[in-house]
Each structure stands twice: as C-alpha cells, then as structure tokens.
Amino acid sequence: MPSLLLSLARGAATSPFKRPGRPDAALPPDRATAPAARPAAGPLAAYRRICGFTEPDALPVTYPHVLAFPLAMRLMTRHRFPLPVTGLVHTWIEITAHRPLHPTDALELTVYATELTPHRRGTEVTVVTEARLSGELVWESRSGYLSRHAPRTGTAPATPGPALPATPGPALPAVAEWQLPADLGRRYGAASGDRNPIHLYPVTARLFGFPRAIAHGMWTVAHCLAQTPRPHLIHTLRADFRAPVLLPGTVTYASDGTGFQLRDGTGDAARVHLTGTAAAVSEETG
C-alpha cells in the first residue's frame, strides 16, 4: 500500500497550484492498484469499534472503501489529477457487494476516476473502487467528491451524482438520538486513515469554510448500517451526504428498515444530513 502520510504531504503541497473548474480539465487514465492482501487485524478492530459493527467473522460492507483509501489518495494527489485534494468533500456513494466478505479474504484493489462533472458549488469527480478475490469482482463502489469553488463563466451546474432527488423525501421513523463528541473526526481518522483537515479541528475546518470540524460521511453511513440486524448481508447501498454534521453535535438516526436518515431538529425545521437505502440478501442466498 502507498504511504498515506506521503500522499497527504504531496496533496498539501500540490493543492494550492491546482485550479478546479478549468474548461479544459481532464482526468488522467491512471489506475491505482494494490496486490491481494488480508485486512490488518488491528485497524479492522479499531474501525469496528468506532463504527459499532459487532460481527467478528464478517467484513463490514463499507470496509473495502477504507482499505482502498490510500490508493484513492495516491490517485488524487498525482500531479495530473485536476482537483486539489485538500478540502475535497465526499458527496455520495453507491456500493454493490457481490458476495459477503470475510476478514480472511485477500482482496485485490483497484481505484480510478471516471467523470468530472460541474456542480452548483464547484466540480465533482466520480471515483470507482473495485475489490477482487482471486481475480473475481466481489465488491465495487462509485463515489462523488466535491471540490468547492466559484462557478466558472459558461458552465452549467449539474445535479451531483446519479439520480439524486431534489428533496430528502418524507421523514423516516426516529430510532435513536446520537451525541457526537468533538474528537469523533480524529478518532475515525485514526481508524480509517482519512485525516482530511475538515474533520480534525475547528481551526483546520475553518480554512475550508466550515465553522467547526465535520463528521466523516463514511462514518455516518457505517454507523447507520451497524444498527441493522444483519449488516454483513447488505448487497447494495446508496447514500447521499446532504449537509455536514458539525462536531460536537446531536443527530437523530431514523429508519424504516430499508431507508435511513440522519437529521437534527423536528418537523419542517429538521435538517437532513444523510439519506440512504440498503438492501440485503437472505441467509440462504448469501
């Protein structure tokens, strides 16, 4: 695996020289890959603890994203990548697990970027991650990452991600209230390797326009999935990050068994931070 520390340093050094939104910007055809390897036990255990997963014989469906994060960082901090990696915001993710995964699986990982799309708040890139087991595709995802900047003259803003509804939809039944501590971003960053400064401290978050540090979108998704009865059987997932969750903060987890939300406030005044859907296979077919 590439060094995360090296990628973060390279990203911090190159980001000031990149100008997102250029009309001639193009994605390089690069692919970042890693040979087959089993997840390290210590980081996986730390990830389970911070996200709330309790199944020791199953790999959380969100964990290949974490395993591939160093590859994504290496890809997005290369000189030819058109967007500055510092301050990138994860906006949506789609996951398909073609079979349940286990901690003993030696996964081969590939990451590449496929689309560069105008967004009402800047430019969004779509990043694809694939995990293979002995050459067979067993897990894949597509993610949107937003580089925020003023729109360029002559560009037409686009809706982020595929099929994102204009509104979050009806409020789902409230299940639990979560008190999120100020250091959640630092703790999840230590477990996942994602130490984007917008998640760490108020002072580093303010550099990118946030009043305080914000929770990682992938932590909010993982913690929601960990509440389901059999998260290891989740086959497909779609999640949209609609508004940042400021830290510290209080949010309501809501679910109807298939869809899930994170929100704060009540009634029409409620602010929706996350919406998503997840579908599982049966024990017999899984």
Side-chain angles (χ1 to χ4, degrees):
M1 271 293 182
S3 166
L4 263 177
L5 203 55
L6 179 60
S7 293
L8 288 168
R10 183 169 59 240
T14 59
S15 287
F17 301 99
K18 296 186 178 183
R19 297 291 179 264
R22 289 172 44 192
D24 60 343
L27 290 170
D30 304 8
R31 288 182 174 231
T33 62
R38 294 179 179 179
L44 176 56
Y47 178 83
R48 284 194 179 115
R49 284 194 298 272
I50 192 68
C51 296
F53 291 105
T54 59
E55 299 166 303
D57 298 327
L59 196 70
V61 71
T62 48
Y63 200 62
H65 177 90
V66 173
L67 292 174
F69 181 71
L71 294 177
M73 285 295 298
R74 184 173 73 179
L75 181 77
M76 293 190 287
T77 56
R78 288 175 177 168
H79 177 72
R80 293 192 297 167
F81 193 80
L83 302 180
V85 71
T86 306
L88 277 182
V89 178
H90 200 177
T91 48
W92 57 270
I93 187 169
E94 294 178 337
I95 291 175
T96 301
H98 298 289
R99 47 151 285 187
L101 299 178
H102 306 282
T104 54
D105 289 337
L107 299 176
E108 311 151 17
L109 300 171
T110 302
V111 177
Y112 56 95
T114 61
E115 299 173 29
L116 207 57
T117 308
H119 185 283
R120 66 185 183 277
R121 293 183 179 174
T123 301
E124 187 178 74
V125 63
T126 299
V127 176
V128 177
T129 301
E130 298 173 344
R132 288 176 168 80
L133 191 59
S134 300
E136 176 191 356
L137 183 66
V138 293
W139 185 100
E140 58 188 312
S141 74
R142 291 170 56 86
S143 285
Y145 292 93
L146 173 65
S147 176
R148 300 192 305 171
H149 60 82
R152 300 278 176 166
T153 303
T155 60
T159 299
L164 176 63
T167 59
L172 300 179
V175 176
E177 187 175 85
W178 297 342
Q179 304 287 335
L180 308 184
D183 66 348
L184 177 61
R186 298 191 292 276
R187 291 166 53 203
Y188 181 82
S192 68
D194 184 352
R195 292 183 172 88
N196 188 321
I198 62 178
H199 303 301
L200 303 182
Y201 299 97
V203 64
T204 55
R206 281 195 290 270
L207 294 174
F208 302 97
F210 298 99
R212 302 197 302 273
I214 65 173
H216 291 74
M218 287 306 296
W219 177 86
T220 63
V221 172
H223 199 46
C224 287
L225 296 182
Q227 315 307 310
T228 63
R230 294 185 298 278
H232 67 287
L233 296 179
I234 291 172
H235 168 60
T236 57
L237 163 71
R238 165 75 191 210
D240 294 289
F241 309 110
R242 294 183 171 274
V245 176
L246 297 176
L247 299 173
T250 302
V251 292
T252 296
Y253 163 64
S255 176
D256 62 1
T258 300
F260 55 91
Q261 295 175 340
L262 277 189
R263 61 179 187 256
D264 57 30
T266 58
D268 294 338
R271 187 184 195 195
V272 177
H273 299 283
L274 169 72
T275 60
T277 57
V281 296
S282 68
E283 294 278 5
E284 290 75 17
T285 59

